[in-house]
Amino acid sequence: MWIAIAVISGIASLAGYAFFQHSSPDTVAFVLTFAAGAILTMLADTMMPEAYEHGGKLVGVVTTFGFAVAYVIRTLD
């Protein structure tokens, strides 16, 4: 399974490089923001089992929203 994950990740990385090599900075920023949100959601779902147990499936979304609010507060500061 880990070999398959490594191969698929490598192919996805190559495809991302090929498709976004000449993209605008705004497009790259959008893709990176989307990826960061996905990572935060995955971490909340798998790395915080007690929160997931008590909060249900919304833990990932709420955690990501919390990081977004923290970013906005930091930006406005």
Side-chain angles (χ1 to χ4, degrees):
M1 180 173 80
W2 285 110
I3 292 172
I5 290 171
V7 169
I8 291 170
S9 295
I11 292 170
S13 176
L14 180 64
Y17 179 77
F19 291 132
F20 293 106
Q21 185 175 11
H22 300 292
S23 295
S24 72
D26 289 338
T27 302
V28 173
F30 174 78
V31 171
L32 290 176
T33 302
F34 186 81
I39 293 293
L40 287 172
T41 301
M42 187 256 330
L43 288 173
D45 285 343
T46 58
M47 302 295 283
M48 298 186 305
E50 186 175 344
Y52 186 71
E53 180 181 324
H54 296 291
K57 293 185 178 185
L58 287 179
V59 168
V61 175
V62 171
T63 301
T64 304
F65 181 73
F67 275 94
V69 169
Y71 175 76
V72 169
I73 290 171
R74 174 70 177 126
T75 303
L76 295 176
D77 186 28

